[in-house]
Amino acid sequence: MTSLRPSPCFAPPMSSEQRKAFPFSEFEPKWQDVWEARKAFRTPNPGDADFDASKPKYFVLDMFPYPSGAGLHVGHPEGYTATDIIGRFKKMSGFNVLHPMGWDAFGLPAEQYAIKTGQHPRATTEKNIEGFRGQLKRLGFAYDWDREVNTTDPGYFKWTQWIFLKLYNSYVGEDGKAHPIAELEGKGLSREEIDSRRLAYVSSAPVNWCPELGTVLANEEVVDGKSEVGGFPVERRPMRQWMLRITAYAQRLIDELDGLDWPESIKLHQRNWIGRSEGAEVKFKVAGSEETITVFTTRPDTLFGATYMVLAPEHRLVDVLVSEEQITAVEEYREKAGRKSDMERTELAKDKSGVFTGAYAINPVNGEQIPIWIADYVLMGYGTGAIMAVPAHDERDFEFAQKFELPVKQVVQPPEGKDWQGFTDHGIAVNSGFLDGLSTPEAKKKIAAWLEEKGLGKGTVNFKLRDWLFSRQRYWGEPFPIVWEDGNHRSIPASELPLLPPTLEDFKPTGTPEPPLSKATDWVRYSATATRELNTMPQWAGSCWYYLRYCDAQNSERFVGEAAEKYWMGGGKPGGVDLYVGGTEHAVLHLLYARFWHKVLFDLGYVTTPEPFQRLVNQGLILGEDGQKMSKSRGNVVNPDDVVKEYGADSLRLYEMFMGPLEQVKPWSMKGVEGVYRFLARVWRLVMEVSEEGVWSVSAALQDVPANKQVTKALHEAIKKCGEDIEKLSFNTAISQMMICTKAFIAEEVMPASAVVTFLKVLSPFAPHIADDLNARIASKFPDLAVQGLLSDATWPKYDPAALIEDEVEIVFQVNGKLRDKARVPIQSTKEELEKLALASARVREFMEGKTPKKIIVVPGKLVNIVV
RNA sequence: GCCGCUGUGGUGAAAUGGUAAACACAGCAGACUUAAAAUCUGCUGGGAGGUAACUCCCUUGCCGGUUCGAGUCCGGCCAGCGGCACCA
């Protein structure tokens, strides 16, 4: 490369140093080193010598990154800069600020990358973390690095395993809260009974198996029948897996969203995912049999319209019910349905299929016999796995009835002008005996009471949410602290934690559901008669509680110290973390799982709040310059390192905040980066001037003089607006105001040094390097005017309301709401004076056309509107 | 199909119901310079009239409503983006 450069003799090239409008590449690393050496952002904990208990706390959290080999992308610094500005601002405003960072480092991509490159995942993970940490430090984030956590560190996952044991050794009682399983042991329950109530339990139900990834996946990780990671086909197959009983918390996970300051869209997303629906269970007798089938319906009011019944193909009663003639057809159908992957089931969703079992059920409400079918549009995992079909008032049942020519019977009268066939909304009950004439809600109530009275059913609630499939057949995850003996599982003692994964040369998936840990034959053997659980935990495990570890990251005695947890997570609100910023992609995964774990820990008395995150803000995606999602294949990816190299970390930070509202999706613009870069250069030149030789020194214009009225006003406006906007996370408008303030300074011949220092304090949360550097330079010339030490330790300036008030304001005169004239008037002008002034205006008179005013509205300081 | 979000200049955007387009980008013109870069200054939604200073009209996706006054509040529609989708 070097040889290709033009010779300096003919065309002296601008070196990159000379081209820079201010020497950020010198002072940015310098201040990063100073902050690190002084531990400028170390946050003392309760109990530490330098802890000040009189200060309020502020816990500001980022979604910690997965340290991939690709390094940071520009989306990371977006949220991270936002929280950094808030954290720095709160610190300057007198808060104890907890603003930590860590690594979510277990998981599939690390393992796949390791397999591909023939390295151990621990080695690649270490390397990636190193890269990420360096990149974050080069952006000047004010993290307390003493609190850094790494989910793959045995000192960390020891406690992930410990929490798993808490789940394993707990059950949900009558009160809906988690209790130690020991309470059940005391009641003399059998082993099976106890195991069936644990929050972490073993199940052999069909699960999402992804052959390509060689592991099972949670429902949340399967999108359109494909794995969320990689997009590989996923099939259903029964396997013995660990499950977490998140369904026991379904209602609380819905209810307790109410007290959180989260975007409505995310709350709604979680509510929809949990999917509560109210209805009733109805028992149907099977004709000529002792069996009864219980169905779940949200429309018990349509019971009279049930013309057939459908069981899920996997329903346990199918074998019992099926008639001699139908056995072959039913067997065939069940076999076919079982083979269908989730993807096929989704694709064929609209094409109904099913088989008659040959059996009939008796409608309890009228004694009618209705045929029992099996069909895969009824899912075993929801409700009771059986439905009563009311084709007249349910779309799916209607479709099915059409295809198989089953009767359709109207039982709801729709409003005038609507066809009753396929009418699914509320109406008036008809052809329904004692329900006739009732509105849908009334009919629901009446039939529920009737069923309950006759012992034929009861009102009940169902959720779409399923229990969380918690085991994976992978190497790079937390091993379960569980051993098996004689077909039974039991936990290992907490004293044996952390349970390290075995050192394996070959950790590739086996290609079968047998986990790779099975290859560690020594490790597997726990005792002469017991073997270890071979599955590992999913990536979500570590991220379910990392925010708690930050509170007390070095604690080796407890997952988090009691005093630290109480202080940082406390504060009288449901959620402990004051502000959590991250992308929307975790709306139902991480954010639901973490809430669940937190509630269990809360019930068991290990944490003091029912919710982990009080205020949640989603940053919007940053698109490429072409307005498309950034991707390697499109070639529109912006690398933050390049931006830092060219324009500096402060410019990158400032630009990402200036682009637009944090929550919004917005495209990148390199020209926009140059804009804020020019702004920072202007700020630099408020203080610095350059000699002919290109040497920077403190400007002669900078003097110890008081600021004049205009500058003072601009400065105090900036203090006010920036303070308010930071609280609102409206960083773009805060930056605009600083730009306006800078213009006011530039207009002056003489720079008032102490006013400039105040401005630097306001700028410092946004662009901390240049602010600290300029302050230090001013301090060298005017020690009494500048901040001694770091701006982050300074106090956020107070604005003076008096400085904001102008002597004169511009008043707008309107006629019939249209702007016709303006006037500058003294600020203290009265309503009467303004009215008089407006009526005296020649232009106003012209547009009044000699008519008399009907009404005059006067808004002091703003306008006069004359209505004629 | 259902749910949610968003529609404002050439572009990113701003605006407690009170002067629409702050701030920035791009563009144009000028100053400095032998020249360029950098920097600084001015102009920059559309239309009409006027030599000009200037004046008027229109403009926040579309239609309607509330109000002295609507980008903002209410109702209906359209478009784009995102999510969910046989959950009885």
Side-chain angles (χ1 to χ4, degrees):
Chain A
M1 274 311 270
T2 321
S3 60
L4 295 177
R5 280 190 185 141
S7 156
C9 306
F10 305 108
M14 282 286 184
S15 83
S16 131
E17 280 313 305
Q18 282 167 298
R19 221 175 50 233
K20 279 169 189 151
F22 60 104
F24 61 82
S25 53
E26 287 162 27
F27 67 70
E28 286 188 350
K30 180 187 132 190
W31 287 101
Q32 285 156 14
D33 290 347
V34 170
W35 299 333
E36 185 162 1
R38 292 196 200 168
K39 293 206 175 199
F41 303 106
R42 182 184 153 270
T43 304
N45 252 15
D48 288 350
D50 52 345
F51 178 73
D52 181 352
S54 69
K55 288 183 175 181
K57 67 97 186 182
Y58 196 81
F59 187 174
V60 54
L61 181 69
D62 295 298
M63 288 186 184
F64 66 163
Y66 179 81
S68 72
L72 287 185
H73 55 78
V74 289
H76 287 113
E78 189 188 16
Y80 296 169
T81 304
T83 53
D84 199 57
I85 291 168
I86 291 254
R88 285 172 177 269
F89 169 72
K90 287 284 181 183
K91 180 175 157 76
M92 292 175 80
S93 305
F95 285 76
N96 284 326
V97 172
L98 180 55
H99 185 214
M101 185 39 76
W103 320 107
D104 186 18
F106 271 132
L108 270 175
E111 189 176 320
Q112 288 171 319
Y113 181 74
I115 291 169
K116 207 171 73 190
T117 59
Q119 302 171 76
H120 194 276
R122 179 156 303 281
T124 57
T125 300
E126 289 295 325
K127 215 174 87 201
N128 291 348
I129 288 176
E130 199 116 320
F132 264 66
R133 195 192 292 116
Q135 281 185 299
L136 292 179
K137 285 192 177 173
R138 285 194 291 281
L139 290 172
F141 293 128
Y143 297 128
D144 179 356
W145 286 105
D146 288 353
R147 294 172 185 265
E148 180 179 349
V149 303
N150 172 354
T151 55
T152 66
D153 178 354
Y156 181 90
F157 70 70
K158 168 183 179 176
W159 299 108
T160 311
Q161 292 169 329
W162 179 85
I163 295 170
F164 174 81
L165 289 184
K166 290 294 152 202
L167 290 157
Y168 179 76
N169 286 315
S170 302
Y171 76 103
V172 168
E174 296 289 318
D175 57 358
K177 291 182 179 157
H179 295 268
I181 203 89
E183 289 179 12
L184 292 182
E185 284 161 356
K187 286 181 188 160
L189 269 72
S190 73
R191 182 187 187 103
E192 285 71 35
E193 285 170 314
I194 289 174
D195 282 350
S196 72
R197 298 192 59 181
R198 294 178 188 276
L199 286 180
Y201 65 97
V202 174
S203 157
S204 296
V207 294
N208 305 303
W209 164 253
C210 178
E212 195 72 27
L213 294 174
T215 184
V216 298
L217 298 167
N219 290 330
E220 289 82 351
E221 294 169 303
V222 180
V223 180
D224 292 334
K226 290 183 211 150
S227 63
E228 196 188 27
V229 177
F232 303 115
V234 171
E235 50 192 60
R236 303 284 295 173
R237 65 154 85 182
M239 284 169 68
R240 199 212 71 206
Q241 296 295 322
W242 284 94
M243 309 288 288
L244 298 187
R245 204 178 302 281
I246 190 171
T247 50
Y249 281 78
Q251 190 62 53
R252 278 169 70 190
L253 287 167
I254 288 178
D255 292 343
E256 290 168 29
L257 283 170
D258 291 345
L260 302 180
D261 309 319
W262 286 22
E264 269 316 306
S265 61
I266 299 285
K267 289 190 183 182
L268 201 74
H269 204 151
Q270 290 215 349
R271 285 194 196 102
N272 288 344
W273 186 266
I274 297 166
R276 180 183 202 272
S277 65
E278 246 170 84
E281 283 184 359
V282 185
K283 288 180 194 162
F284 283 68
K285 280 213 161 63
V286 179
S289 155
E290 288 304 298
E291 296 286 352
T292 58
I293 298 171
T294 307
V295 303
F296 174 71
T297 176
T298 54
R299 293 295 298 273
D301 60 298
T302 61
L303 189 49
F304 284 88
T307 56
Y308 63 101
M309 179 183 277
V310 187
L311 305 185
E314 307 90 345
H315 198 283
R316 65 167 189 93
L317 284 177
V318 174
D319 284 328
V320 182
L321 300 175
V322 65
S323 71
E324 205 64 39
E325 312 83 76
Q326 290 300 101
I327 279 189
T328 330
V330 165
E331 279 308 313
E332 216 170 87
Y333 184 79
R334 289 181 87 179
E335 213 247 322
K336 219 168 68 191
R339 269 207 323 266
K340 267 190 203 172
S341 70
D342 262 22
M343 193 158 52
E344 285 169 311
R345 245 172 131 143
T346 317
E347 274 169 10
L348 302 171
K350 295 297 164 229
D351 190 21
K352 296 278 179 296
S353 67
V355 176
F356 179 44
T357 61
Y360 291 84
I362 300 165
N363 190 337
V365 86
N366 56 14
E368 278 177 22
Q369 295 213 356
I370 57 175
I372 303 172
W373 288 64
I374 62 168
D376 65 1
Y377 84 91
V378 173
L379 309 170
M380 196 54 229
Y382 184 76
T384 60
I387 62 154
M388 61 176 211
V390 185
H393 307 295
D394 181 279
E395 243 176 79
R396 296 146 300 179
D397 297 346
F398 185 67
E399 235 175 90
F400 192 84
Q402 296 265 294
K403 181 156 176 184
F404 295 101
E405 296 178 337
L406 291 156
V408 180
K409 182 182 163 195
Q410 182 191 10
V411 287
V412 179
Q413 182 64 47
E416 207 64 36
K418 282 200 175 151
D419 187 7
W420 62 266
Q421 292 219 21
F423 176 78
T424 57
D425 288 341
H426 286 189
I428 304 295
V430 292
N431 306 325
S432 294
F434 59 91
L435 299 178
D436 280 352
L438 294 178
S439 71
T440 300
E442 290 169 330
K444 275 186 182 179
K445 234 187 244 170
K446 187 153 185 184
I447 188 76
W450 185 88
L451 288 166
E452 205 140 340
E453 192 196 310
K454 306 262 174 189
L456 294 169
K458 60 175 196 294
T460 177
V461 171
N462 260 302
F463 297 94
K464 283 190 211 173
L465 185 70
R466 311 293 155 82
D467 276 340
W468 176 11
L469 172 58
F470 193 66
S471 43
R472 300 290 183 275
Q473 292 69 50
R474 304 299 304 198
Y475 172 70
W476 194 231
E478 300 89 344
F480 281 78
I482 293 288
V483 293
W484 290 80
E485 188 162 15
D486 301 330
N488 292 315
H489 48 78
R490 68 163 193 270
S491 61
I492 62 170
S495 59
E496 290 178 22
L497 301 181
L499 168 60
L500 303 177
T503 342
L504 274 182
E505 283 296 311
D506 170 24
F507 43 81
K508 285 191 199 72
T510 57
T512 69
E514 184 76 2
L517 292 190
S518 63
K519 296 177 190 173
T521 43
D522 288 348
W523 181 89
V524 167
R525 189 146 299 285
Y526 180 71
S527 71
T529 50
T531 58
R532 290 193 192 277
E533 167 66 45
L534 299 177
N535 285 304
T536 51
M537 299 185 200
Q539 195 188 345
W540 311 108
S543 59
C544 267
W545 71 283
Y546 73 111
Y547 55 95
L548 290 169
R549 189 62 181 167
Y550 282 141
C551 297
D552 200 9
Q554 315 278 357
N555 197 326
S556 56
E557 303 298 314
R558 212 167 179 276
F559 75 114
V560 53
E562 281 179 89
E565 191 280 331
K566 209 169 163 189
Y567 180 73
W568 291 115
M569 295 295 288
K573 289 187 174 159
V577 173
D578 295 280
L579 175 65
Y580 194 17
V581 176
T584 36
E585 67 273 19
H586 294 115
V588 286
L589 292 158
H590 160 62
L591 287 171
L592 195 63
Y593 295 154
R595 291 181 64 219
F596 163 49
W597 278 36
H598 195 89
K599 287 182 189 303
V600 174
L601 291 170
F602 174 68
D603 289 350
L604 297 174
Y606 291 105
V607 297
T608 49
T609 61
E611 284 283 336
F613 316 119
Q614 183 59 36
R615 183 181 178 199
L616 175 74
V617 173
N618 290 120
Q619 86 234 31
L621 201 65
I622 296 182
L623 305 173
E625 204 127 12
D626 54 359
Q628 300 291 310
K629 208 167 162 175
M630 283 195 193
S631 75
K632 267 191 203 153
S633 55
R634 283 206 188 83
N636 60 353
V637 176
V638 178
N639 183 342
D641 285 344
D642 297 341
V643 180
V644 170
K645 209 168 154 201
E646 193 74 13
Y647 302 101
D650 284 338
S651 294
L652 175 69
R653 293 170 58 115
L654 210 57
Y655 171 64
E656 293 215 9
M657 295 300 100
F658 189 59
M659 290 173 87
L662 184 64
E663 294 94 328
Q664 197 158 299
V665 178
K666 44 209 176 282
W668 186 268
S669 158
M670 229 24 128
K671 288 286 184 190
V673 182
E674 282 177 32
V676 295
Y677 174 71
R678 278 199 284 268
F679 161 67
L680 288 177
R682 281 194 283 270
V683 172
W684 176 259
R685 290 194 306 268
L686 292 182
V687 177
M688 305 298 290
E689 62 189 358
V690 69
S691 70
E692 301 249 332
E693 298 79 40
V695 178
W696 288 102
S697 59
V698 175
S699 165
L702 190 82
Q703 291 171 26
D704 181 5
V705 293
N708 66 22
K709 207 161 174 180
Q710 289 86 350
V711 170
T712 306
K713 179 165 182 277
L715 178 62
H716 284 256
E717 262 167 359
I719 297 169
K720 179 170 190 278
K721 182 116 175 92
C722 288
E724 290 168 356
D725 285 356
I726 289 172
E727 297 273 5
K728 287 192 295 187
L729 272 59
S730 301
F731 303 111
N732 52 336
T733 48
I735 293 165
S736 302
Q737 200 64 43
M738 287 192 283
M739 288 171 167
I740 292 167
C741 180
T742 305
K743 275 190 181 170
F745 275 114
I746 287 171
E748 300 301 312
E749 303 260 309
V750 176
M751 274 315 134
S754 93
V756 171
V757 170
T758 303
F759 175 74
L760 292 175
K761 287 183 193 168
V762 175
L763 177 66
S764 68
F766 299 83
H769 307 88
I770 194 172
D772 256 339
D773 198 61
L774 290 176
N775 174 66
R777 286 172 189 273
I778 296 172
S780 68
K781 195 165 168 187
F782 303 101
D784 298 339
L785 300 182
V787 171
Q788 296 300 318
L790 300 173
L791 288 174
S792 52
D793 292 322
T795 304
W796 181 263
K798 272 200 171 54
Y799 70 88
D800 176 8
L804 301 180
I805 293 169
E806 296 210 53
D807 304 336
E808 282 194 330
V809 281
E810 192 176 59
I811 296 287
V812 171
F813 298 150
Q814 296 179 334
V815 178
N816 289 336
K818 281 199 193 298
L819 170 71
R820 293 305 176 193
D821 203 1
K822 302 170 186 181
R824 290 198 71 83
V825 300
I827 184 80
Q828 62 272 41
S829 306
T830 63
K831 277 193 171 194
E832 289 72 27
E833 285 167 347
L834 290 173
E835 193 178 315
K836 228 163 140 188
L837 222 64
L839 289 169
S841 152
R843 300 223 347 110
V844 167
R845 293 247 287 276
E846 185 186 326
F847 282 91
M848 283 171 67
E849 295 165 345
K851 294 172 197 149
T852 47
K854 262 192 265 181
K855 195 171 174 185
I856 299 178
I857 291 112
V858 184
V859 183
K862 284 266 183 214
L863 57 75
V864 180
N865 187 15
I866 298 163
V867 187
V868 295

